[in-house]
């Protein structure tokens, strides 16, 4: 009888990033230097409320930096991935890749 | 890695592909359509030079639209380092190509009428035919907007089509008003359609940037 594949790598996944909404946000921020909140709402499909909640979580983890300012008279929030966030995302990708690689190719 | 490139392209286009550059391109191309019509009244120099203030006014309108209509709806970004390098490289190549075209144009224009260098009516087709595809392709490549590639082809073949129309007595002024006018209308239509799509699909957020 063959041993079931190990799921250790899945347990190692960064649970801050692993939430789908935050994974989408981190992916969007990974490919740019910075983006404002409107663009992130448009590209991820999140609501403003969801974006605020997830951004708070990412900011608390030190993965993003949030700069609040004004564009004209309107509030303008610019978000960027921090060095720690970029490193965490690279690690997440490598761990996920390793976790997927250890799965068998088919059920047989 | 290619998936990340695709995500980057989509993200970049989501912020920057607003159709306003198409409008500016149409304003530029319209010079070739309108200048021949105005040249009898204004002379060769002023029929082109008058576009300076027209373009500047157009630029101000485009800038206003970008600031007050597009950006609040689409948002903004600072591109990643690879995109910044791509934009820089494309800008340098574009500047060199345009400078070469400018120098060639001046040299050829100064040779008008002389026996040794009478290219005459071939100046526009040669200059545009070689410059337009490069410049528009570089723009399309650096901004990841595919529709700028056919624009370059259209601008390149417009003088040839115009010349053919003129030689067959189907159009006046070497056919430029018809040929370039059509290209300008295509660009303007595409740009305005893109802009209207953005306005329709992205209503202004009720409580913007409230995070």
């Amino acid at each position: 009888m063959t041993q079931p594949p190990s799921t250790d790598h899945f347990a190692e996944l960064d649970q801050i990033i692993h939430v789908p909404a935050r994974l989408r946000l981190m992916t969007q921020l990974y490919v740019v230097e910075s983006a404002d909140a409107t663009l992130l709402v448009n590209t991820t499909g999140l609501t403003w409320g969801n974006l605020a909640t997830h951004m708070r979580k990412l900011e608390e983890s030190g993965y993003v930096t949030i700069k609040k300012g004004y564009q004209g008279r309107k509030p303008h929030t610019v978000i960027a991935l921090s060095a720690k966030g970029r490193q965490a995302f690279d690690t997440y990708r490598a761990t996920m890749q390793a976790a997927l690689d250890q799965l068998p190719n088919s059920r047989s | 890695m290619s998936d990340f490139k695709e995500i980057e392209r989509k993200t970049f286009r989501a912020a920057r592909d607003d159709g306003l550059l198409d409008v500016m391109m149409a304003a530029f191309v319209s010079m070739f359509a309108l200048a021949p019509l105005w040249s009898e009244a204004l002379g060769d120099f002023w029929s082109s030079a008058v576009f300076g203030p027209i373009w500047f006014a157009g630029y101000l309108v485009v800038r206003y639209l970008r600031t007050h209509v597009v950006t609040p709806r689409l948002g903004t970004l600072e591109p990643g380092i690879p995109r910044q390098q791509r934009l820089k490289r494309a800008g340098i190549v574009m500047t060199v190509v345009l400078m070469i075209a400018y120098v060639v144009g001046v040299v050829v224009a100064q040779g008008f009428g002389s026996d040794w260098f009478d290219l005459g009516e071939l100046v526009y087709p040669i200059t545009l035919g070689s410059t337009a595809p490069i410049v528009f392709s570089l723009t399309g490549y650096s901004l990841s907007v595919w529709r700028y590639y056919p624009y370059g082809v259209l601008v390149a073949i417009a003088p040839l089509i115009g010349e053919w129309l003129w030689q067959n007595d189907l159009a006046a002024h070497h056919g430029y008003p018809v040929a370039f006018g059509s290209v300008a209308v295509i660009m303007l239509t595409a740009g305005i359609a893109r802009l209207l799509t953005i306005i329709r699909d992205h209503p202004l957020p009720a409580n913007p940037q409230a995070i």
Side-chain angles (χ1 to χ4, degrees):
Chain A
M1 190 175 156
T2 55
Q3 290 289 319
S6 165
T7 55
D8 289 347
H9 286 300
F10 286 112
E12 292 167 13
L13 285 170
D14 186 333
Q15 293 304 308
I16 299 291
I17 302 176
H18 196 54
V19 175
R22 289 202 283 272
L23 182 56
R24 261 185 285 168
L25 287 168
M26 292 287 283
T27 307
Q28 289 294 333
L29 290 169
Y30 188 78
V31 297
V32 297
E33 285 299 296
S34 66
D36 71 3
T38 305
L39 183 73
L40 290 174
V41 165
N42 285 336
T43 52
T44 60
L46 295 174
T47 63
W48 285 93
N50 276 338
L51 180 71
T53 306
H54 291 299
M55 275 303 160
R56 205 171 303 128
K57 192 83 177 171
L58 290 171
E59 189 181 26
E60 283 167 7
S61 308
Y63 290 175
V64 298
T65 56
I66 299 177
K67 284 183 190 166
K68 294 190 179 189
Y70 284 88
Q71 207 167 47
R73 290 180 198 168
K74 294 175 183 170
H76 187 236
T77 307
V78 177
I79 302 143
L81 219 53
S82 66
K84 185 183 174 187
R86 217 161 265 276
Q87 177 64 45
F89 190 74
D90 284 335
T91 306
Y92 176 86
R93 282 177 61 207
T95 311
M96 177 61 93
Q97 194 62 57
L100 293 174
D101 286 346
Q102 74 182 4
L103 292 177
N105 286 329
S106 67
R107 291 168 67 183
S108 58
Chain B
M1 205 56 177
S2 60
D3 287 343
F4 271 109
K5 282 185 180 173
E6 187 55 31
I7 292 167
E8 193 276 336
R9 270 196 287 271
K10 281 183 180 171
T11 308
F12 186 79
R13 277 202 304 261
R16 299 288 175 88
D17 183 13
D18 52 21
L20 291 173
L21 188 57
D22 303 56
V23 175
M24 284 301 287
M25 287 172 171
F28 174 74
V29 171
S30 69
M31 181 185 79
F32 297 106
L34 295 174
L37 298 174
W38 295 350
S39 63
E40 283 177 18
L42 299 175
D44 283 343
F45 176 76
W46 284 109
S47 62
S48 297
V50 74
F51 280 90
I54 292 174
W55 285 339
F56 184 67
Y59 167 74
L60 292 178
V61 171
V62 162
R63 197 175 149 164
Y64 178 86
L65 287 172
R66 178 159 285 161
T67 310
H68 292 84
V69 177
V70 173
T71 302
R73 288 173 164 84
L74 294 186
T76 57
L77 59 78
E78 183 188 348
I81 301 297
R83 173 73 63 175
Q84 288 183 27
Q85 288 170 343
R86 181 193 280 205
L87 289 165
K88 195 174 173 183
R89 278 197 304 268
I92 291 168
V93 174
M94 209 181 290
T95 305
V96 170
V97 169
L98 288 174
M99 280 175 68
I100 292 171
Y102 178 76
V103 170
V104 168
V106 169
V107 169
V108 171
Q110 285 175 343
F112 274 171
S114 64
D115 294 337
W116 62 274
F117 204 66
D118 192 11
L119 286 175
E121 290 152 3
L122 291 175
V123 174
Y124 271 166
I126 290 172
T127 312
L128 281 172
S130 53
T131 313
I134 298 173
V135 170
F136 281 90
S137 297
L138 280 170
T139 310
Y141 166 73
S142 57
L143 300 178
S144 295
V145 179
W146 66 267
R147 65 178 181 277
Y148 296 154
Y149 294 98
Y151 285 177
V153 175
L154 287 174
V155 174
I157 63 171
L160 301 174
I161 293 172
E163 202 67 28
W164 182 84
L165 290 170
W166 182 65
Q167 285 180 0
N168 289 282
D169 291 328
L170 295 169
H173 301 288
H174 295 270
Y176 284 8
V178 175
F180 283 109
S182 304
V183 175
V185 167
I186 289 170
M187 290 175 171
L188 189 67
T189 306
I192 289 175
R194 174 79 189 134
L195 184 63
L196 291 177
T197 307
I198 289 168
I199 293 170
R200 185 196 64 188
D201 294 346
H202 300 274
L204 278 172
N207 194 14
Q209 309 282 342
I211 73 164

